[in-house]
Every structure is written in C-alpha cells, then in structure tokens.
Amino acid sequence: MTELFSENYARSQDASDPLRTLRAEFHIPLHGGTEQAYFCGNSLGLQPKGARAMVEEVLDKWAHDAVEGHFREPAPWMPYHALVREPLARLVGAHPTEVVAMNSLTANLHLMLVSFYRPTRERPAILMEAGAFPSDHHALESQVRFHGFDPDTDLIELQPDEADGTFSMAAIERAIAEHGPRLALVLWPGVQYRTGQAFDLAAIAQLAQAQGAICGFDLAHAVGNIELSLHDSGIDFAVWCHYKYVNSGPGAVAGCFVHERHARTSRPRFAGWWGHEQTTRFRMAPEFTPTPGADGWQLSNPPILGLAPLRASLEQFDRVGMPALRARSERLTAYLESLIRGQLSETLQIATPRQPERRGAQLSLRVAGGHVRGRALFEYLAGEGVLGDWREPDVIRISPAPLYNTYADVLRFARAVDAWRAHNR
Ligand SMILES: Cc1ncc(COP(=O)(O)O)c(C=O)c1O
C-alpha cells in the first residue's frame, strides 16, 4: 500500500503510460500558480487546445465571407454538421446515418419522446429510475401529462435495490416483467450520474422490447466515458451532451441516436426545415419530407460556433480510440479505488460498483459523518487545488478523465484526503 501511496509510484506509472502525452493537448486550470487536479470531467470537460482554432476559423470565415461562408471551402457551413457525423458515429458505435449533433440534451429528449412515447389507454406507462437526473424526470413527467395521462400511475420510478443506491440487473428485469403489458417506454441512463453505475444497454433494451415497449437512453455520463455499440445494442434512441467527457465546451451542441430500424418511420415528429430532405429543402415548399435517419429530427440550421469545438474534441477521440482510452480510464479509476480502500476507508465509502464493467471513470464517495463533514472535506480539497464535485446530500464525485488526468492527480487527491483526515478525526 505504501508503495502505491508514493510519488515515485505515481510518477513511474505516468512516465510509462502510452497515452501520457495527451494531457499536453488540454488547458489545465491553475490553482495558486500550479495545475489543478481537475476531476470534474463528468460535469465540464477541459478545453482541448485545438478548440480555439476551430472557433476562430468560423469567426474568420464570418468576417471575410459573411453569407457566402455557407458554401465556401474549407468547412462550409451548409453541410457543417456533417463534419462531425462520422467521428461521432465511431465514438458511439453507430452507423453515420443514426447520429446527429443538434440542440441540447433535454431538447433532444423531448423530440425523441414526441416520436417514441406514444401512450395508449392500454399501454400508457414509462419506466424510469428513481433518482434520475431532474431534467429527465421533468421531461418525462411533462410528456405523460401532455398526453393526458397521470404521472402518479403512469410514470413508474424503480427504486435502487442495492445498498449503495445502485441497481441489480435482476431488479430491472423484474420491474420490466411486472409492468410489461402497460409499458410504452423504458428510459434508462447509460451511466448513472450520482452513483457512476454503468448499465448493459443491450440487455435492458432486449427486456423492454420483448414486452413491446420502446427503449431509450440518456447517455450524458456514458459518451466518451465507456465504450458504446449503440447500433448493435439494438436500443431505439439515445440522447447525450458533449460538454462532459467529450470536452466540447459549456452548453455544447448535444447528440442524438435513432436506430436504423426507425430511419424511415412514419411516427409523428415535431418538424423543422433542417430535418427536411436535403435535395429539396431549398425549394421552400410547405410539405415536409423527412431526411431518412437521425438527421430528419433536426429543426434549425445548426449553431456553427457551437459545433466548432466538437470537431476538435472528436478528432482526439478518433485519433486515440475508445478502447485505448477506456483501458487507461480503468487503470486510473482502479488506482483511485486502491488508494481509497487501502488507506482512506475510514473516511470515504465508495458507492460506485466494484466491477469495472459496471462503472465508468467516476467514483462516487460518501464521506463518513454525512453532510457536514462531507462538505468540509470537499471545501478543503478545493482549497488544495483538488477539484471534484459535490452532489447533495453527502457525495463527492471524483472522475479521473483518461485524456488529461494522471496518476499524480489521483495521488494528490488521496494525499489531500489523508491530510484532512489527520486534522479532522
Ligand atoms: C444525466 C443528465 N441528464 C440530463 C442532463 C441535462 O442536460 P442539458 O442541460 O444539456 O439538457 C444532464 C446535465 O448535466 C445530465 O447529467
């Protein structure tokens, strides 16, 4: 244990890591003149140095070409969103026509629900997790009401069955079987934001679809964090954001996946001109013919300045590849876990599952003594330049992001907790 707790160990692991050079591609925030140990990639990823050039390219084109920027090379704005299509598809394991970058996560969730939540008197219900991210709850509840149904009976919230607030697959299976004939939709997270638990998308989708329900996912904490094979998993739709592990900036343009089997669906949708079939879009006719695939759910011409940083981050993911990143992520999180279990277990209890396939980068840590001590530790860490994030009532989330975090960062966190503990017994 003491060896793991030594700077020599952390330094040698960093020096021999095949992905060690990636950190230099990011702006690392400073704290009192030295680099912060930044563990908030699950909230807002750091800025890739390449993002500025992408944004400046758009500003320059706007300055020089104005409206003609829509057509002028390089990177004309008219097909600009198509520049991110293929790398995005590779990132989430989808066919290019199954993904689109547009809007924000909650807006995309509503657009998906309009098409894929079609409740009937016999089948009105949605199954979701209790304790979901509030925006998902608001979206689902408002959709249930919008269709004239009652959230008290038709928005079913499954309580976690495991001690740490996590779910066993058996509990999910039982709930889907129990409510099956009444289920119109199952909406589940890819990685749960509070506990960091990762789920088996294909298994959940199979169970839901076997009951005749649609299955969609919120992948906010999964994209850029765990390996995804959205097409093969057979899920119906997914939505996510790009400002967390995908490092595309605050409020970045979000993502959306619609499985190929729905590419030419006649389901109702809320339409806009950018979803209209491309070859006839500029005839400006009133009839709407959707572009096949995910593009057909677009509403407006995209915010080019918002899409620009996404190009820079997707280039990094494409170059490194999720398998290598995920392997490094597992190494860093395992190191964090061994330091906590080996040395800090009186102070921190890990709520995230132990098995690597049941979690992503993040460990959610409950501080012994509850809210007051938890908050005190969180603030002490911030004062030491170690930034995690806080989730009420007593959870500190620490997410070593494999693109820029290091063993040295992880050790710095553990040592800071150790120092705090020594003075706050
Ligand atoms: C799991 C989850 N779902 C939904 C959202 C809402 O995202 P947005 O504000 O981009 O709609 C967030 C934001 O952090 C989130 O973490």
Side-chain angles (χ1 to χ4, degrees):
M1 185 62 223
T2 35
E3 198 216 333
L4 291 189
F5 228 80
S6 75
E7 269 172 30
N8 271 350
Y9 177 83
R11 225 179 280 131
S12 71
Q13 293 300 307
D14 281 329
S16 60
D17 197 289
L19 301 185
R20 66 188 172 280
T21 56
L22 289 167
R23 179 179 170 89
E25 297 182 22
F26 287 85
H27 291 286
I28 312 287
L30 296 181
H31 175 87
T34 53
E35 288 180 343
Q36 211 173 36
Y38 185 86
F39 292 110
C40 293
N42 57 348
S43 183
L44 180 71
L46 292 182
Q47 185 185 132
K49 289 180 180 163
R52 184 176 296 271
M54 291 294 171
V55 173
E56 282 180 355
E57 181 190 277
V58 177
L59 288 172
D60 288 345
K61 191 187 278 288
W62 179 23
H64 299 129
D65 300 340
V67 74
E68 289 174 306
H70 284 105
F71 311 102
R72 281 209 186 137
E73 295 291 343
W77 302 331
M78 187 66 79
Y80 198 86
H81 75 277
L83 292 173
V84 298
R85 188 200 314 283
E86 302 226 346
L88 190 53
R90 286 190 283 274
L91 179 65
V92 299
H95 295 170
T97 53
E98 292 176 317
V99 295
V100 62
M102 60 180 189
N103 311 317
S104 57
L105 187 159
T106 308
N108 288 342
L109 179 56
H110 273 297
L111 290 178
M112 290 293 99
L113 292 173
V114 163
S115 295
F116 293 107
Y117 173 54
R118 307 297 306 159
T120 60
R121 204 173 281 282
E122 296 70 39
R123 211 181 251 287
I126 299 178
L127 178 70
M128 70 183 298
E129 40 142 4
F133 195 85
S135 200
D136 290 13
H137 193 274
H138 302 329
L140 294 174
E141 183 177 331
S142 62
Q143 288 273 342
V144 170
R145 286 189 204 285
F146 176 76
H147 285 281
F149 291 94
D150 180 359
D152 284 346
T153 49
D154 300 329
L155 187 57
I156 302 164
E157 295 179 61
L158 181 63
Q159 295 293 336
D161 61 317
E162 297 176 338
D164 293 326
T166 51
F167 292 89
S168 68
M169 198 56 212
I172 299 172
E173 188 166 356
R174 274 195 304 275
I176 293 177
E178 180 190 341
H179 300 287
R182 292 189 70 247
L183 286 182
L185 173 77
V186 174
L187 188 91
W188 210 256
V191 172
Q192 215 285 343
Y193 82 99
R194 198 190 297 271
T195 62
Q197 180 179 9
F199 292 95
D200 182 339
L201 276 58
I204 295 172
Q206 256 170 30
L207 292 167
Q209 290 160 353
Q211 293 288 344
I214 286 281
C215 191
F217 283 85
D218 174 343
L219 301 178
H221 285 260
V223 170
N225 179 15
I226 58 173
E227 287 184 74
L228 294 166
S229 315
L230 296 191
H231 177 82
D232 291 344
S233 69
I235 69 172
D236 292 290
F237 71 84
V239 293
W240 62 87
C241 53
H242 289 125
Y243 44 77
K244 299 179 186 291
Y245 294 99
V246 188
N247 310 315
S248 299
V253 176
C256 186
F257 165 89
V258 181
H259 196 276
E260 185 179 56
R261 78 174 83 88
H262 301 298
R264 293 174 190 278
T265 184
S266 57
R267 285 168 178 272
R269 74 177 86 198
F270 284 171
W273 75 313
W274 224 252
H276 185 88
E277 205 267 310
Q278 284 176 43
T279 55
T280 55
R281 185 186 292 151
F282 284 90
R283 288 193 194 148
M284 301 309 218
E287 304 78 33
F288 177 74
T289 311
T291 305
D295 269 11
W297 274 267
Q298 293 174 102
L299 298 178
S300 304
N301 77 99
I304 304 299
L305 281 166
L307 277 173
L310 186 52
R311 289 178 65 198
S313 9
L314 288 175
E315 185 281 322
Q316 294 179 305
F317 279 95
D318 237 11
R319 176 159 36 92
V320 183
M322 269 315 288
L325 268 182
R326 175 65 173 145
R328 176 168 156 82
S329 170
E330 286 182 11
R331 290 195 294 276
L332 284 170
T333 301
Y335 181 49
L336 175 61
E337 181 178 22
S338 8
L339 294 180
I340 294 169
R341 289 201 198 282
Q343 196 97 350
L344 307 171
S345 58
E346 276 170 31
T347 312
L348 298 174
Q349 180 217 328
I350 303 177
T352 307
R354 263 190 128 128
Q355 307 89 324
E357 68 281 6
R358 291 186 74 212
R359 70 186 186 199
Q362 167 186 325
L363 292 187
S364 302
L365 308 171
R366 284 220 172 81
V367 185
H371 178 89
V372 173
R373 272 174 70 81
R375 208 50 230 188
L377 172 58
F378 176 74
E379 273 154 28
Y380 173 82
L381 291 172
E384 294 295 303
V386 177
L387 201 68
D389 77 358
W390 174 255
R391 281 289 172 267
E392 293 293 345
D394 59 354
V395 171
I396 296 177
R397 303 186 307 174
I398 297 291
S399 298
L403 277 166
Y404 48 76
N405 280 123
T406 59
Y407 281 76
D409 286 341
V410 172
L411 179 63
R412 201 167 139 198
F413 163 79
R415 289 200 155 181
V417 176
D418 203 29
W420 179 82
R421 181 182 64 156
H423 296 103
N424 292 276
R425 288 188 189 273

